[in-house]
Amino acid sequence: MPDAPVKRDLVSVQDIASDLPSLLKRASELKAERKRGKLTPRLAGKNLAMIFEKPSTRTRTSFEVAMNDLGGHALYLSSKDLQLGRGETIADTARVLSRFVDAVCYRAFRHADMLELARWTTIPVINALDDLEHPCQIAADLLTLHERWGGRFSGHRLGWVGDGNNVLHSLLLGAAAVGLDITAATPAGYRPDATVVAAAEKLARASKSRIALTGEPRVAATGADALYTDVWVSMGDEAEQAAREAAFRGFQINEALVALASPDVLVLHDLPAHRGQEITDSVLDGPHSAAWDQAENRLHAQKAILELLVAPHLRSRGPR
Ligand code: CP
Ligand code: NVA
């Protein structure tokens, strides 16, 4: 009998913290290959199931194109159309998908459901966003900064202005893993989760980077080498829209805030943007914006993630 497959998930940035430098290098190589028109079918014949409980433009498209570029196939599965939407358990869904496909990416409302899927699958599970993290996004964000800063993170500082939820959580972990300093400004009541902050601080001690939390956007912005924001109302938080719009007033990346940052500041946004709320048109469309490269880099980062998690798993896969 061949060895049992070694399954590796990407549920949290913590799962790939030590892989990030090589993952970013690989993503850059894959990007260069694609620009040269060269595609190598490293995942030929392999299938990725993509379960989405929420809408997506970038994540869905980048996974689908990534699998196609790598010679494999991706299946889009809306949770509404699956029996999952009629009460079939995550565990049973996981057992069945594990017999058909080689990996599954999952966009979930609840992190607990992500963990449940990872628990019951025998194939890699990739977090395509949940209420706690968005790890694939952060791989693309770090790739964007890596390109612009010639591969150097240490000595740079990123200022976050916005909500203390999924994107910031993964960013804190990712920045700390690669040695990037971060100052995160969030309104009172919207601070990042203390457990995630503690995990990021542990990574920051190892990389000798600094994490600071503040309630003041100007503190995050002043002298920053990058500024990053996300929507005030995340998917699933729509019932809190009015309260959030009140709490986040002032947490906008606009020209006045950009003027406090480094003259070469890069402005990031994971997108979709709510123009006029967390970011102004003039900044998102302006000379400092790296948001469009950042969106494109979802594709190249996704490929590196798929190679890392899926290719080694498949090599050891045998009869069940
Ligand atoms: N940034 C991001 O995850 O975008 P989508 O919701 O369009 O996938
Ligand atoms: N924080 C946002 C990110 C969207 C990509 C959300 O969860 O809706």
Side-chain angles (χ1 to χ4, degrees):
M1 284 283 285
D3 292 343
V6 180
K7 157 183 147 74
R8 200 169 161 202
D9 301 317
L10 172 49
V11 164
S12 162
V13 169
Q14 294 176 80
D15 298 326
I16 53 161
S18 59
D19 299 288
L20 277 170
S22 56
L23 186 103
L24 298 178
K25 185 166 173 282
R26 184 68 190 135
S28 296
E29 288 167 5
L30 289 162
K31 181 171 182 174
E33 277 186 13
R34 192 174 204 267
K35 301 277 178 204
R36 291 199 306 271
K38 181 170 177 276
L39 299 174
T40 309
R42 293 184 180 87
L43 298 183
K46 310 309 175 196
N47 292 291
L48 172 73
M50 310 191 299
I51 305 176
F52 280 79
E53 293 179 0
K54 307 179 189 182
S56 170
T57 297
R58 282 142 287 268
T59 307
R60 173 187 175 177
T61 311
S62 57
F63 267 118
E64 211 160 319
V65 174
M67 281 305 285
N68 189 59
D69 278 5
L70 291 167
H73 180 66
L75 302 89
Y76 176 74
L77 304 169
S78 159
S79 60
K80 288 192 211 70
D81 300 331
L82 292 171
Q83 295 289 8
L84 199 55
R86 293 181 56 247
E88 185 170 19
T89 66
I90 290 176
D92 290 353
T93 306
R95 289 185 182 106
V96 172
L97 287 179
S98 297
R99 303 288 181 111
F100 288 137
V101 300
D102 303 288
V104 54
C105 77
Y106 183 26
R107 172 163 286 194
F109 279 100
R110 291 164 13 102
H111 187 66
D113 291 343
M114 186 70 62
L115 295 175
E116 179 75 355
L117 188 73
R119 177 179 172 207
W120 291 103
T121 45
T122 57
I123 51 173
V125 168
I126 303 173
N127 183 343
L129 178 147
D130 61 24
D131 56 348
L132 192 69
E133 280 208 44
H134 196 2
C136 298
Q137 177 67 53
I138 267 48
D141 303 342
L142 294 176
L143 177 60
T144 308
L145 297 176
H146 188 266
E147 288 172 339
R148 300 290 189 111
W149 293 340
R152 282 185 309 279
F153 291 108
S154 68
H156 290 101
R157 187 175 63 79
L158 182 149
W160 171 271
V161 177
D163 200 0
N165 69 347
N166 47 14
V167 174
L168 177 59
H169 288 156
S170 290
L171 184 66
L172 284 167
L173 294 164
V178 300
L180 170 63
D181 294 344
I182 180 167
T183 307
T186 56
Y190 298 92
R191 289 203 148 205
D193 179 89
T195 309
V196 175
V197 173
E201 280 170 344
K202 191 169 169 203
L203 289 168
R205 278 194 292 279
S207 72
K208 300 193 175 12
S209 61
R210 281 174 297 190
I211 296 174
L213 303 180
T214 175
E216 176 48 65
R218 294 170 65 89
V219 171
T222 301
D225 301 296
L227 281 173
Y228 194 159
T229 191
D230 183 20
V231 290
W232 293 348
V233 184
S234 283
M235 292 178 279
D237 291 337
E238 291 80 2
E240 302 170 12
Q241 180 151 351
R244 284 176 163 270
E245 285 179 10
F248 283 84
R249 199 159 295 128
F251 285 73
Q252 182 188 65
I253 299 192
N254 51 33
E255 287 184 1
L257 209 69
V258 170
L260 298 174
S262 149
D264 300 326
V265 67
L266 297 171
V267 175
L268 301 178
H269 193 308
D270 51 301
L271 305 174
H274 284 71
R275 290 164 176 264
Q277 288 200 344
E278 77 276 1
I279 194 162
T280 58
D281 285 332
S282 63
V283 173
L284 187 58
D285 299 328
H288 294 285
S289 175
W292 315 111
D293 282 353
Q294 189 187 356
E296 178 194 327
N297 281 339
R298 295 296 308 275
L299 170 62
H300 312 299
Q302 230 77 286
K303 284 193 200 171
I305 290 167
L306 288 163
E307 275 194 10
L308 177 72
L309 300 183
V310 180
H313 173 70
L314 293 171
R315 272 202 293 278
S316 60
R317 194 160 175 220
R320 291 162 200 273

